[in-house]
Amino acid sequence: GAGVSQSPSNKVTEKGKDVELRCDPISGHTALYWYRQRLGQGLEFLIYFQGNSAPDKSGLPSDRFSAERTGESVSTLTIQRTQQEDSAVYLCASSLNVREQYFGPGTRLTVL
Amino acid sequence: KQEVTQIPAALSVPEGENLVLNCSFTDSAIYNLQWFRQDPGKGLTSLLLIQSSQREQTSGRLNASLDKSSGRSTLYIAASQPGDSATYLCAANSGNTPLVFGKGTRLSVIA
Protein backbone atom coordinates (compact mmCIF):
# COMPACT_ATOMS: atom_id res chain seq x y z
CA GLY A 1 0.00 0.00 0.00
CA ALA A 2 0.98 3.66 -0.27
CA GLY A 3 3.30 5.01 2.35
CA VAL A 4 3.74 8.53 3.68
CA SER A 5 4.42 11.00 0.88
CA GLN A 6 5.85 14.48 1.08
CA SER A 7 6.13 17.30 -1.40
CA PRO A 8 8.15 18.92 -2.71
CA SER A 9 11.13 16.62 -2.35
CA ASN A 10 13.47 19.59 -2.64
CA LYS A 11 12.84 23.28 -2.14
CA VAL A 12 15.31 26.12 -2.63
CA THR A 13 14.15 29.53 -1.50
CA GLU A 14 15.53 32.94 -0.76
CA LYS A 15 15.83 34.28 2.74
CA GLY A 16 12.67 36.07 3.77
CA LYS A 17 10.29 34.09 1.55
CA ASP A 18 7.49 31.90 2.88
CA VAL A 19 7.41 28.15 2.12
CA GLU A 20 4.77 25.44 2.46
CA LEU A 21 5.66 21.80 2.90
CA ARG A 22 3.04 19.10 2.42
CA CYS A 23 2.61 15.69 4.02
CA ASP A 24 0.16 12.98 2.96
CA PRO A 25 -0.02 10.35 5.71
CA ILE A 26 -0.95 6.72 5.33
CA SER A 27 -4.71 6.51 4.89
CA GLY A 28 -6.49 5.98 8.19
CA HIS A 29 -3.56 6.97 10.38
CA THR A 30 -4.85 9.18 13.16
CA ALA A 31 -1.57 10.67 14.34
CA LEU A 32 0.78 12.81 12.27
CA TYR A 33 4.17 14.17 13.29
CA TRP A 34 6.61 16.69 11.87
CA TYR A 35 10.33 16.44 12.62
CA ARG A 36 13.36 18.37 11.38
CA GLN A 37 16.87 17.10 10.74
CA ARG A 38 19.58 19.67 10.26
CA LEU A 39 22.82 18.68 8.56
CA GLY A 40 24.88 16.43 10.77
CA GLN A 41 22.38 16.57 13.62
CA GLY A 42 19.73 14.32 15.08
CA LEU A 43 16.01 14.54 14.47
CA GLU A 44 14.13 17.17 16.42
CA PHE A 45 10.39 17.10 17.00
CA LEU A 46 8.35 20.05 15.72
CA ILE A 47 4.61 19.36 16.09
CA TYR A 48 2.18 16.48 16.49
CA PHE A 49 -1.45 16.10 15.38
CA GLN A 50 -4.07 13.74 16.75
CA GLY A 51 -6.85 13.96 14.20
CA ASN A 52 -6.99 17.60 13.16
CA SER A 53 -5.91 19.06 16.48
CA ALA A 54 -2.36 19.66 17.66
CA PRO A 55 -2.00 18.73 21.35
CA ASP A 56 1.75 19.26 21.26
CA LYS A 57 3.33 22.23 19.46
CA SER A 58 6.23 22.44 21.85
CA GLY A 59 8.88 21.78 19.24
CA LEU A 60 8.07 24.65 16.91
CA PRO A 61 11.23 26.79 17.03
CA SER A 62 9.55 30.17 16.56
CA ASP A 63 6.27 31.84 15.66
CA ARG A 64 7.41 31.81 12.02
CA PHE A 65 6.52 28.10 12.01
CA SER A 66 2.92 26.90 11.84
CA ALA A 67 1.13 23.75 10.74
CA GLU A 68 -2.36 22.59 10.08
CA ARG A 69 -4.09 19.34 9.28
CA THR A 70 -7.43 18.98 7.54
CA GLY A 71 -9.80 16.06 7.09
CA GLU A 72 -7.63 13.99 9.40
CA SER A 73 -5.40 13.61 6.38
CA VAL A 74 -3.09 16.08 4.67
CA SER A 75 -0.90 18.37 6.74
CA THR A 76 0.92 21.53 5.71
CA LEU A 77 3.92 22.97 7.53
CA THR A 78 4.39 26.66 6.78
CA ILE A 79 7.56 28.61 7.47
CA GLN A 80 7.24 32.37 7.13
CA ARG A 81 10.11 34.75 6.44
CA THR A 82 12.58 31.88 6.09
CA GLN A 83 16.05 32.19 7.58
CA GLN A 84 19.22 30.31 6.66
CA GLU A 85 19.06 28.35 9.90
CA ASP A 86 15.74 26.87 8.68
CA SER A 87 17.69 24.85 6.09
CA ALA A 88 17.12 21.20 6.93
CA VAL A 89 15.31 18.05 5.92
CA TYR A 90 11.73 18.18 7.16
CA LEU A 91 10.32 14.73 7.85
CA CYS A 92 6.71 13.74 8.35
CA ALA A 93 5.53 10.54 10.02
CA SER A 94 2.15 8.99 10.69
CA SER A 95 0.89 6.27 12.99
CA LEU A 96 -2.31 4.44 13.81
CA ASN A 97 -3.10 5.15 17.46
CA VAL A 98 -0.02 4.28 19.50
CA ARG A 99 1.62 2.01 17.01
CA GLU A 100 4.84 2.44 15.12
CA GLN A 101 5.55 5.59 13.19
CA TYR A 102 6.12 5.45 9.45
CA PHE A 103 8.20 8.17 7.87
CA GLY A 104 8.00 9.91 4.52
CA PRO A 105 11.07 10.61 2.36
CA GLY A 106 11.35 14.17 3.59
CA THR A 107 11.56 17.61 2.03
CA ARG A 108 15.04 19.08 1.76
CA LEU A 109 14.75 22.84 2.32
CA THR A 110 17.62 25.12 1.38
CA VAL A 111 17.39 28.80 2.27
CA LEU A 112 19.89 30.94 0.39
CA LYS B 1 12.50 14.62 29.92
CA GLN B 2 13.47 11.60 27.84
CA GLU B 3 17.00 11.48 26.48
CA VAL B 4 18.26 8.81 24.10
CA THR B 5 21.94 8.04 23.61
CA GLN B 6 23.53 5.76 21.04
CA ILE B 7 26.98 4.24 21.25
CA PRO B 8 29.15 4.03 19.25
CA ALA B 9 28.65 7.02 16.96
CA ALA B 10 30.36 5.16 14.13
CA LEU B 11 31.34 1.56 13.54
CA SER B 12 33.24 -0.17 10.75
CA VAL B 13 33.22 -3.97 10.45
CA PRO B 14 34.25 -6.55 7.86
CA GLU B 15 31.53 -8.32 5.91
CA GLY B 16 30.12 -11.38 7.65
CA GLU B 17 30.70 -10.16 11.18
CA ASN B 18 27.93 -10.13 13.78
CA LEU B 19 27.52 -6.78 15.52
CA VAL B 20 25.60 -5.02 18.27
CA LEU B 21 24.41 -1.41 18.32
CA ASN B 22 23.58 0.09 21.69
CA CYS B 23 20.87 2.51 22.74
CA SER B 24 20.17 3.87 26.22
CA PHE B 25 17.29 5.99 27.47
CA THR B 26 16.78 7.93 30.68
CA ASP B 27 13.03 7.53 31.29
CA SER B 28 11.94 3.90 31.65
CA ALA B 29 8.26 4.86 31.27
CA ILE B 30 8.37 4.24 27.56
CA TYR B 31 5.63 2.77 25.43
CA ASN B 32 7.45 2.12 22.18
CA LEU B 33 11.08 1.74 21.26
CA GLN B 34 11.70 1.85 17.55
CA TRP B 35 14.83 1.19 15.49
CA PHE B 36 15.21 2.88 12.12
CA ARG B 37 17.65 2.81 9.25
CA GLN B 38 18.56 5.97 7.35
CA ASP B 39 20.50 5.91 4.09
CA PRO B 40 22.32 9.09 2.99
CA GLY B 41 19.90 11.69 1.67
CA LYS B 42 16.91 9.47 2.34
CA GLY B 43 14.11 9.25 4.89
CA LEU B 44 13.80 6.76 7.72
CA THR B 45 12.90 3.11 7.28
CA SER B 46 11.37 1.43 10.31
CA LEU B 47 13.21 -1.78 11.16
CA LEU B 48 11.74 -3.03 14.42
CA LEU B 49 9.24 -1.82 17.01
CA ILE B 50 9.32 -3.12 20.57
CA GLN B 51 6.37 -2.25 22.77
CA SER B 52 6.89 -1.87 26.50
CA SER B 53 5.38 -5.27 27.30
CA GLN B 54 7.82 -7.01 24.95
CA ARG B 55 11.44 -7.97 25.49
CA GLU B 56 12.58 -8.46 21.91
CA GLN B 57 11.60 -8.47 18.26
CA THR B 58 13.20 -10.23 15.32
CA SER B 59 13.13 -9.62 11.59
CA GLY B 60 15.42 -11.65 9.38
CA ARG B 61 19.01 -11.01 10.43
CA LEU B 62 17.96 -8.29 12.88
CA ASN B 63 17.10 -8.77 16.53
CA ALA B 64 16.25 -5.93 18.89
CA SER B 65 15.98 -6.30 22.66
CA LEU B 66 14.54 -4.02 25.31
CA ASP B 67 15.43 -3.88 29.01
CA LYS B 68 13.35 -1.13 30.59
CA SER B 69 14.82 -1.61 34.05
CA SER B 70 18.32 -0.81 32.85
CA GLY B 71 17.18 1.72 30.24
CA ARG B 72 18.79 -0.12 27.36
CA SER B 73 18.02 -1.52 23.96
CA THR B 74 20.32 -3.33 21.57
CA LEU B 75 20.10 -4.02 17.87
CA TYR B 76 21.90 -7.18 16.82
CA ILE B 77 22.78 -7.63 13.16
CA ALA B 78 23.87 -11.11 12.13
CA ALA B 79 26.20 -11.89 9.23
CA SER B 80 26.57 -8.26 8.21
CA GLN B 81 26.58 -7.33 4.51
CA PRO B 82 27.80 -4.21 2.66
CA GLY B 83 24.14 -3.37 2.00
CA ASP B 84 23.67 -2.95 5.75
CA SER B 85 25.83 0.19 5.63
CA ALA B 86 23.66 3.07 6.84
CA THR B 87 22.93 5.13 9.92
CA TYR B 88 20.88 3.31 12.53
CA LEU B 89 18.63 5.39 14.77
CA CYS B 90 16.99 4.42 18.02
CA ALA B 91 13.92 6.32 19.25
CA ALA B 92 11.53 6.05 22.19
CA ASN B 93 8.16 7.50 23.07
CA SER B 94 5.43 7.29 25.69
CA GLY B 95 2.17 6.32 24.03
CA ASN B 96 0.92 8.50 21.21
CA THR B 97 3.68 11.06 21.63
CA PRO B 98 6.59 12.22 19.51
CA LEU B 99 9.60 10.01 19.30
CA VAL B 100 12.80 11.14 20.99
CA PHE B 101 15.72 10.14 18.81
CA GLY B 102 19.32 9.29 19.51
CA LYS B 103 21.98 10.77 17.24
CA GLY B 104 22.49 7.44 15.50
CA THR B 105 25.28 4.98 14.81
CA ARG B 106 26.87 5.21 11.36
CA LEU B 107 27.67 1.65 10.26
CA SER B 108 30.07 0.74 7.47
CA VAL B 109 30.33 -2.89 6.41
CA ILE B 110 33.47 -3.46 4.37
CA ALA B 111 33.44 -6.10 1.62
Side-chain angles (χ1 to χ4, degrees):
Chain A
V4 179
S5 61
Q6 293 186 245
S7 60
S9 56
N10 281 284
K11 176 71 176 178
V12 181
T13 191
E14 294 179 348
K15 178 181 173 182
K17 300 283 190 183
D18 297 352
V19 295
E20 283 190 353
L21 312 180
R22 177 186 170 110
C23 172
D24 283 87
I26 293 172
S27 179
H29 278 196
T30 53
L32 186 148
Y33 310 81
W34 283 98
Y35 297 87
R36 175 171 77 172
Q37 187 175 34
R38 295 196 228 183
L39 187 63
Q41 303 197 13
L43 276 83
E44 33 173 346
F45 162 72
L46 297 178
I47 187 170
Y48 145 63
F49 288 91
Q50 179 61 40
N52 291 333
S53 61
D56 189 347
K57 304 180 183 179
S58 63
L60 292 177
S62 76
D63 59 7
R64 296 185 297 103
F65 287 71
S66 63
E68 64 175 16
R69 188 181 186 195
T70 56
E72 297 195 358
S73 181
V74 172
S75 176
T76 303
L77 176 69
T78 301
I79 309 173
Q80 296 178 309
R81 304 180 304 282
T82 52
Q83 303 293 313
Q84 289 182 330
E85 64 262 28
D86 299 335
S87 295
V89 176
Y90 289 81
L91 291 160
C92 173
S94 69
S95 70
L96 179 61
N97 297 323
V98 296
R99 300 184 188 278
E100 70 187 288
Q101 296 184 20
Y102 295 89
F103 280 74
T107 293
R108 182 176 300 276
L109 175 65
T110 303
V111 182
L112 301 176
Chain B
K1 179 184 172 184
Q2 179 72 271
E3 294 182 7
V4 177
T5 304
Q6 291 186 248
I7 296 174
L11 180 64
S12 183
V13 301
E15 181 178 7
E17 193 162 296
N18 302 326
L19 61 101
V20 175
L21 306 181
N22 295 295
C23 171
S24 62
F25 46 91
T26 55
D27 185 354
S28 62
I30 66 171
Y31 192 89
N32 292 323
L33 189 132
Q34 204 165 345
W35 282 92
F36 295 88
R37 168 185 174 137
Q38 186 174 34
D39 292 282
K42 302 293 178 93
L44 276 65
T45 301
S46 179
L47 297 173
L48 290 165
L49 169 73
I50 311 177
Q51 295 187 325
S52 62
S53 58
Q54 300 171 326
R55 295 296 300 268
E56 65 176 342
Q57 285 288 326
T58 298
S59 176
R61 294 182 293 108
L62 305 180
N63 175 277
S65 68
L66 174 64
D67 184 343
K68 289 173 53 179
S69 62
S70 67
R72 292 182 183 176
S73 175
T74 61
L75 179 66
Y76 175 83
I77 303 176
S80 58
Q81 303 171 359
D84 295 332
S85 298
T87 296
Y88 290 81
L89 296 165
C90 166
N93 71 352
S94 303
N96 211 11
T97 60
L99 287 165
V100 176
F101 282 84
K103 295 189 184 303
T105 294
R106 189 171 65 254
L107 173 66
S108 297
V109 181
I110 311 301

